Amino acid sequence: MTDPRFDKSLYLPTTRDEMDRLGWEQADIILFSGDAYVDHPSFGAAVIGRVLQAHGYKVAIVPQPNWRDDLRDFRKLGRPRLFFGVSPGAMDSMVNHYTANRRMRHDDAYTPDGRHGARPDYPSIVYSKILKELYPDVPVIGGGIEVSLRRVSHYDYWQDKLRPSILVDSPMDMLIYGMGERTVVELARRIEAGEKVADIKDLPQTAFITTDLPDREDDIILNSYEDCCRDRKLQARNFRDVEIESNRMHGHRIWQPTAGKMVCINPMLPPMTSQEIDASFDLPYTRYPHPRYKGKRIPAYEMIRHSVNMHRGCFGGCAFCTISAHQGKFIASRSKESILREVRKVTEMDDFKGYISDLGGPSANMYAMSGLDKSKCERCTRPSCLHPAPCPNLNNDHAPLLDIYRAVDAMPEVKRAFVGSGVRYDLAMAPTPGHKADDANRDYLHQLIARHVSGRLKVAPEHTSDAVLDVMRKPSFELFKRFKRIFDRVNQQEGLRQQLIPYFISSHPGCREEDMAELAAITKDLDFHLEQVQDFTPTPMTVSTEIYWSGVHPYTGKPLFTPHTEADKLAQRRFFFWYKPEARQEIVNSLRRMHRPDLIQALYPGGVPRPTRNGSPGYYRQKPGQPADYRTKRKPKKH
């Protein structure tokens, strides 16, 4: 039997030699990707390539082409018969390259051995410019997360300015946003039938530049890019319209005047049926990196090689998240049979030791969920089905998910199947309509904690302040406390010693330094030493980013405080690490400035160290009967 790790004929060709071995004189479509080529359904270029291949097209792929030399990587496969496809990879290139403080990262998880520098900033722009210079008459189609989030005018945090649609900054002929399998196949069919890309103007989930004008009464006309540059509030209003249309089951066409022309965005397709999404996941992926990477490690692949994704989409609508802008709000779930087929493929891998690393999705426990009355969903414009309260039309029955877990657990080759994706505990704890599935949801939480946690369960309360959480579109922190009690109780019942790891964000719009100080005191009281923390990073196409840029909330138009300077961000972030000796003095100084002696007492009830004249720490301890902000000095203990 051929070993799929080493047989190049089992993969999409990446070189002229591999094409020759297949007997190809010319590829129909050539894909350029900013990622290494991993033939796995978690990597977008592999998915698009396999889907096109399944429809009879000859597809080649050029992973991580060198854009700084004589451009031989862009020439080596020649011109395709139909079009070039360009994508930055599975992750936005700027998030991939830079930290929240705009500092360069030193590694790249989607590159062999984690090497940095294998892709440029904004690969979609760089690749399409090179291809148009070399092959000006061949259509270039953009796709992937980077173009999805930049399909209209957007704030670019790394350049600190408003940028127009990525179509203006690049010569690509068209972009496909969102999950593009259905659209790219239809586009290939129409180009093959003789249509020119410039004449294809009705294809869902595409955007293009045109001199045409809106011709439908229900079209949405945004404020122009130039007007948004002059008035930031207009950009915020634009975002509101774009988000509403992106979350509709049947959206409207959107237009934005830019540079004397029009950016036209066709609406998103309805979610895939189970049969359609099964067809994508059931393709003959080898599940391995291409043999060209023999002996090298691709960190992103190592994380997901034994995982299985069960659905797409997310109806959580978190203000800082881009999932719904790319995958949509409505859930597209695979069939149980398709999921089990993939689990069996995982168990057949050479290095499988009996453990599925993740049975998940964008939010792990939204599998098979939708509205009870679909007609209401077709009219709905809510960006979130969970905020400010769970939708009464939402069927949040976790029984189908439990059925998957039990079926996988019953497979003799599987010792344990873990859930590594994020879990929405508020979804599982919300009462079900008519309380018909409340027992199943309680059972789900018990089974999740007892059988599907690999020692640590990561969840994302994000903050402790209800005011900040409301801006984030997240539930009250009191719900997390309830979940923690459930987690602790199940661990006690099952004789387990697992950890609950909460994620938190600092410097989010609406968050002030005092909110972070209270977060520190509250999490300390819950006995957490925080690890999974981050500064808010503005990324295109989120509510939070529009607030950061415009200073107002897109839905209310009201001003909202947002930390911008590095000093302000550091002041918030340090409260995560109140327990570190080097952070204490700055934290105490900040709390005194806020007139919050109660928080000083809460964080440091045993006394607060401070430098003395000779540089050694001095200590302040409250005496009985003294106010909380009064300290007396005592000598440091000798060690």
Side-chain angles (χ1 to χ4, degrees), residues 224-266:
S224 73
Y225 165 67
E226 290 78 11
D227 285 345
C228 291
C229 288
R230 287 189 288 268
D231 185 346
R232 298 186 181 196
K233 291 182 180 179
L234 296 180
Q235 171 64 19
R237 292 176 197 169
N238 277 3
F239 172 81
R240 178 190 59 199
D241 291 336
V242 172
E243 184 181 48
I244 287 173
E245 293 306 316
S246 297
N247 286 320
R248 285 182 183 270
M249 183 79 76
H250 307 288
H252 300 101
R253 194 164 54 171
I254 295 174
W255 301 76
Q256 184 175 31
T258 305
K261 296 183 180 181
M262 282 286 192
V263 174
C264 180
I265 304 169
N266 286 319

Side-chain angles (χ1 to χ4, degrees), residues 143-431:
I145 187 73
E146 193 162 85
V147 302
S148 273
L149 306 186
R150 291 169 168 79
R151 57 190 186 258
V152 293
S153 62
H154 57 278
Y155 171 65
D156 188 289
Y157 173 68
W158 298 273
Q159 294 188 348
D160 192 25
K161 70 177 185 180
L162 196 70
R163 295 187 64 160
S165 165
I166 197 169
L167 288 163
V168 175
D169 286 333
S170 74
M172 61 181 68
D173 298 270
M174 175 184 284
L175 68 79
I176 296 173
Y177 69 91
M179 310 306 283
E181 293 107 312
R182 291 173 292 177
T183 301
V184 76
V185 169
E186 179 63 12
L187 178 63
R189 185 193 66 77
R190 291 176 67 167
I191 294 175
E192 186 174 34
E195 291 188 61
K196 294 182 179 179
V197 174
D199 296 330
I200 300 175
K201 298 181 178 181
D202 59 347
L203 192 56
Q205 283 185 216
T206 62
F208 50 88
I209 291 180
T210 180
T211 55
D212 295 345
L213 295 175
D215 56 0
R216 303 175 189 170
E217 288 187 6
D218 58 356
D219 282 359
I220 306 295
I221 305 174
L222 304 177
N223 297 292
S224 73
Y225 165 67
E226 290 78 11
D227 285 345
C228 291
C229 288
R230 287 189 288 268
D231 185 346
R232 298 186 181 196
K233 291 182 180 179
L234 296 180
Q235 171 64 19
R237 292 176 197 169
N238 277 3
F239 172 81
R240 178 190 59 199
D241 291 336
V242 172
E243 184 181 48
I244 287 173
E245 293 306 316
S246 297
N247 286 320
R248 285 182 183 270
M249 183 79 76
H250 307 288
H252 300 101
R253 194 164 54 171
I254 295 174
W255 301 76
Q256 184 175 31
T258 305
K261 296 183 180 181
M262 282 286 192
V263 174
C264 180
I265 304 169
N266 286 319
M268 186 177 282
L269 283 162
M272 282 179 153
T273 64
S274 288
Q275 291 77 15
E276 288 172 330
I277 195 170
D278 283 357
S280 179
F281 276 89
D282 290 348
L283 294 170
Y285 303 99
T286 63
R287 297 188 66 86
Y288 291 100
H290 189 277
R292 64 192 284 150
Y293 307 119
K294 182 180 179 181
K296 296 181 179 180
R297 176 177 174 272
I298 300 173
Y301 169 68
E302 297 299 322
M303 293 172 60
I304 55 87
R305 64 188 305 166
H306 297 144
S307 69
V308 175
N309 182 16
M310 299 191 294
H311 68 274
R312 291 179 184 165
C314 179
F315 51 73
C318 297
F320 47 81
C321 182
T322 62
I323 291 174
S324 65
H326 184 61
Q327 295 194 9
K329 178 179 75 171
F330 299 100
I331 305 302
S333 297
R334 301 169 63 185
S335 68
K336 176 181 176 181
E337 293 73 23
S338 175
I339 293 168
L340 295 182
R341 280 194 294 270
E342 187 174 358
V343 172
R344 290 190 190 95
K345 287 194 70 172
V346 174
T347 65
E348 294 166 0
M349 295 177 70
D350 65 296
D351 61 344
F352 182 71
K353 306 298 183 185
Y355 300 96
I356 301 293
S357 61
D358 186 19
L359 280 176
S363 287
N365 56 322
M366 290 185 182
Y367 176 76
M369 293 187 184
S370 63
L372 294 167
D373 183 343
K374 301 298 191 297
S375 66
K376 291 182 178 179
C377 294
E378 293 189 355
R379 300 190 302 271
C380 179
T381 61
R382 281 181 58 167
S384 171
C385 300
L386 296 176
H387 184 271
C391 175
N393 188 46
L394 175 64
N395 176 13
N396 63 329
D397 184 357
H398 285 63
L401 186 55
L402 272 174
D403 185 41
I404 299 290
Y405 287 177
R406 287 168 175 149
V408 174
D409 287 345
M411 297 175 71
E413 303 88 352
V414 177
K415 297 176 182 177
R416 292 285 294 276
F418 300 118
V419 176
S421 302
V423 172
R424 288 296 298 250
Y425 54 84
D426 54 330
L427 177 61
M429 295 168 68

Side-chain angles (χ1 to χ4, degrees), residues 46-61:
V47 173
I48 294 300
R50 287 295 190 184
V51 167
L52 287 165
Q53 180 189 56
H55 284 79
Y57 296 103
K58 298 175 181 176
V59 185
I61 181 170

Side-chain angles (χ1 to χ4, degrees), residues 76-97:
K76 64 183 181 182
L77 302 186
R79 70 175 58 231
R81 185 171 65 92
L82 299 179
F83 62 85
F84 287 113
V86 298
S87 168
M91 188 175 180
D92 184 276
S93 66
M94 303 309 284
V95 177
N96 181 290
H97 281 173

